[in-house]
Amino acid sequence: MSNFLSYFKDVDIVKIELKKIFSLSEMIKKKIYFMEVCGTHTMQISKYGIRKILPQNIKLISGPGCPVCVTPLEFIDKAIYILDNFENVTILTFGDLYRVVGSKSSLEKEKSKGKDIRILYSPDEILSLAKENPDRNIVFLSIGFETTLPSIGCVIKEAKVQNIKNIFFLMGNKFFLPALEVLILLSRNFISSNFNADSTIDGFILPGHLSTIIGERSYHWIAQKYKIPSVITGFEPVDILQGIRLLVEMIVSKNPGVKNQYSRVVSYDGNLYAKEIIKEVFDITEGKWRGMGLIPATAAKLKKEFEDFDAEKRFNIPNFNNEENLFGCRCNEVLIGKITPIECPLFDKVCNPENPKGACMVSTEGACAAYYKYERI
Amino acid sequence: MNKILLPYGSGGKYTKEFIDRYILKYFNNKFLQHLLDSAVLEIQSEKLAFSIDGYTVSPLFFPGGDIGKLSICGTINDLLCVGADPKFIALSLIIEEGTEIEVVEKILSSIQQVSQQEDVLVVTGDTKVVEVGSCDKIFVTTAGVGCIRKGLNLHYNRIEPDDVIIITGNIAEHGLAILLSRGAYGFEYNIQSDCASLKSLMQKIFDDEELTPHIKFIRDPTRGGVAAVLNEIVSYRKDLGIEIYEEKVPISQDVKYLCELLAIEPFSIANEGKMIMITSKNVVDKILSTFKTHPLGKDAEVIGKVVFTNKGKVILKTLYGSMRILDMPTAEELPRIC
């Protein structure tokens, strides 16, 4: 184990990659902006201080890579609506969502009022909790990208096979790719005005885990349609610097494409079995993203044959249309890379991990949490 | 009589029997034997150090130690942190009804072993038994008294820019050992806790009158690990910053990679047999070579220094030539590790 991991943390290899990046960067006469769109990359880049060792003209900005951060406030409001209007409800959630404040309250606050809200560590626990509590309505708050959808899909299939009647899914899952295109279009405006640059995002550091499911083949359009290079990248320092070096090489050679730096894990086609499960259980519909609004074909919805498990239907949840941000929080701009966390007026003043005002500070993979934890220097 | 029963804590006949059969068996000495309400101590010292700590670790027995060893080493180490020679221990046991006597004896025997080896005496104590479910088998509290050495003045007020930060050995072993021994991750890996009394190691330094005036501050990085101790210092001394060099921080390969695997920060993980010492720069070589002559200090390293930049912050200079904040751990990541 140690030899394998140590290669991707090797200081000398990092230094070699950095040297290559520095000499390539001299050939680029302007500032270039690379965006990472995966929360784990956001954390790792901050943790290893990678922004600080790159050439002056290469900037890394964080995109909407954290599922908790892109989840609109109304998702929390819907969960609280169920708790307020129905008896015998148990809400199951992953830990990161627990402290996110909706338009009025958070799950954490509701729990302190005596509501039954439990934190899960694995989707496996959903079925066993439902079976152990036959008299309760078990509602799972389902968020995440294509990475988590297959395991949720498996649970839903299994619930149908076992004919479990007291389990419901509040679906907040998103499909990432169409949003990436919206982000490219959005960024055309703000990159030029905010960063005083004359182009859009110059390259993408593509997610490692998500790409494991969807595969390298899903990304070719980025270069073909928008002439933007991208690299599927692993999470260790050597991975990230190799990813950046490959992006710079493609810029210098004016030959944008998609490269797979993380080929030890990510294949060309992705995980076919996982993709099959997604197709089998979910339809694709319009989805609301914090920071980017409604985007067509980005939300996962349960197929008709599984709609008995749909919490929205079971609990007749009305439409919520709430303001996206509270207290002057600028999470919506942070998560599309329009501003850095440090530019938000609340950052490190009234907003910190103990008392977060917005989702990007709550989530352990949010850009604000990463900057707060590692980059307040 | 193979389980602890409620009457053992009643104060009556059974309590006396428990004390005679078990407590005196392990800890009889001239202070304890009279079984008075308080121990009467004979101490000659201008200043005394007095410390107390409660132990609730789960599991009770873990690779490298148990709650008994931990409870006595922890209090000894706390006394050493203020420059005291540990002398006397008070021992309080809260035992859950139904706990196997054998378990209690194993724990008492551990305490006895460490106290004999480290030349501290258990001079007074108390035993309570609570109903099933009121505690988890056994909670141990130890209080300790030590005599403070002349010539030692340990306080964060004395820390100055350019002072160096020394750690006596590999970090993050206790917390990780506990975590893995709980089997929560579905795999087993034997990491030994570093649980140890550092009395003989620290006395090597305390005995050297050339060194003692230059030692400014000592603390054992237990809960919250190295990150918590360093951040506490700069929160008291907001006029100072601390720089830590990642490449100098001693950590075993196994611990390093397990932390990676579990995505936990080794700087925030508890140690139970390490000291952080802050001293002036001029004595650092001698301190380091003194530490290295002792088995518990063989991996000692200078890991950083005190600076007047980045005030109020702990900065980690990474292996890659970059830097980042080393933050105070926020929530207790691992409950009941000590």
Side-chain angles (χ1 to χ4, degrees), chain B residues 8-206:
Chain B
Y8 293 1
S10 65
K13 178 176 168 238
Y14 289 98
T15 303
K16 181 161 177 8
E17 193 179 314
F18 178 80
I19 290 171
D20 289 347
R21 273 181 75 169
Y22 298 107
I23 301 294
L24 289 179
K25 174 178 169 188
Y26 290 101
F27 306 117
N28 201 0
N29 58 57
K30 68 173 178 174
F31 299 100
L32 187 67
Q33 65 181 353
H34 306 295
L35 297 176
L36 300 176
D37 281 16
S38 302
V40 180
L41 308 175
E42 294 146 18
I43 301 176
Q44 268 152 12
S45 177
E46 266 179 31
K47 282 185 184 172
L48 290 180
F50 184 29
S51 180
I52 185 165
D53 226 333
Y55 297 84
T56 61
V57 66
S58 166
L60 296 176
F61 301 91
F62 47 83
D66 58 60
I67 193 170
K69 181 180 177 189
L70 186 67
S71 68
I72 191 143
C73 292
T75 292
I76 288 175
N77 293 345
D78 281 349
L79 293 169
L80 293 166
C81 286
V82 293
D85 289 314
K87 296 281 186 198
F88 303 109
I89 297 284
L91 173 68
S92 155
L93 306 173
I94 294 176
I95 312 174
E96 185 182 25
E97 167 193 18
T99 303
E100 311 277 328
I101 294 270
E102 198 190 334
V103 167
V104 177
E105 276 211 76
K106 262 174 94 175
I107 291 164
L108 293 176
S109 154
S110 273
I111 297 174
Q112 177 202 36
Q113 215 180 325
V114 180
S115 60
Q116 277 178 358
Q117 190 186 313
E118 300 299 306
D119 194 23
V120 295
L121 292 174
V122 175
V123 290
T124 183
D126 180 51
T127 305
K128 296 279 191 304
V129 178
V130 296
E131 303 91 325
V132 172
S134 296
C135 87
D136 187 3
K137 291 197 184 76
I138 185 165
F139 292 161
V140 180
T141 301
T142 54
V145 173
C147 304
I148 294 188
R149 290 279 183 114
K150 280 185 181 159
L152 267 172
N153 175 16
L154 303 173
H155 200 283
Y156 51 77
N157 283 343
R158 289 186 59 215
I159 301 171
E160 291 169 295
D162 256 6
D163 284 349
V164 293
I165 299 162
I166 301 169
I167 186 141
T168 57
N170 292 349
I171 66 164
E173 290 169 355
H174 176 73
L176 201 61
I178 297 294
L179 196 63
L180 291 172
S181 67
R182 287 180 192 164
Y185 291 102
F187 67 91
E188 283 178 26
Y189 203 95
N190 190 4
I191 293 286
Q192 295 277 314
S193 162
D194 60 342
C195 175
S197 158
L198 298 172
K199 184 178 168 188
S200 58
L201 177 72
M202 298 311 283
Q203 284 183 340
K204 274 179 162 272
I205 304 288
F206 294 171

Side-chain angles (χ1 to χ4, degrees), chain B residues 147-297:
Chain B
C147 304
I148 294 188
R149 290 279 183 114
K150 280 185 181 159
L152 267 172
N153 175 16
L154 303 173
H155 200 283
Y156 51 77
N157 283 343
R158 289 186 59 215
I159 301 171
E160 291 169 295
D162 256 6
D163 284 349
V164 293
I165 299 162
I166 301 169
I167 186 141
T168 57
N170 292 349
I171 66 164
E173 290 169 355
H174 176 73
L176 201 61
I178 297 294
L179 196 63
L180 291 172
S181 67
R182 287 180 192 164
Y185 291 102
F187 67 91
E188 283 178 26
Y189 203 95
N190 190 4
I191 293 286
Q192 295 277 314
S193 162
D194 60 342
C195 175
S197 158
L198 298 172
K199 184 178 168 188
S200 58
L201 177 72
M202 298 311 283
Q203 284 183 340
K204 274 179 162 272
I205 304 288
F206 294 171
D207 287 345
D208 189 331
E209 284 174 11
E210 263 179 50
L211 297 179
T212 46
H214 301 282
I215 302 169
K216 311 278 185 78
F217 185 80
I218 300 174
R219 181 157 294 173
D220 52 342
T222 55
R223 274 179 305 175
V226 172
V229 168
L230 299 176
N231 274 287
E232 265 169 43
I233 295 170
V234 294
S235 74
Y236 296 131
R237 289 292 306 272
K238 290 185 172 45
D239 56 323
L240 300 174
I242 286 177
E243 280 182 7
I244 298 296
Y245 314 114
E246 191 175 12
E247 61 183 345
K248 296 284 186 195
V249 178
I251 179 166
S252 79
Q253 286 288 312
D254 279 1
V255 169
K256 189 171 166 181
Y257 290 118
L258 283 162
C259 286
E260 273 301 322
L261 191 68
L262 303 173
I264 42 185
E265 171 84 88
F267 292 101
S268 304
I269 298 183
N271 310 274
E272 287 291 346
K274 300 294 162 356
M275 287 290 186
I276 285 179
M277 184 183 266
I278 300 186
T279 75
S280 36
K281 206 162 116 188
N282 55 327
V283 293
V284 65
D285 291 339
K286 192 166 183 203
I287 289 181
L288 216 51
S289 58
T290 308
F291 274 147
K292 282 177 185 290
T293 59
H294 192 286
L296 291 172

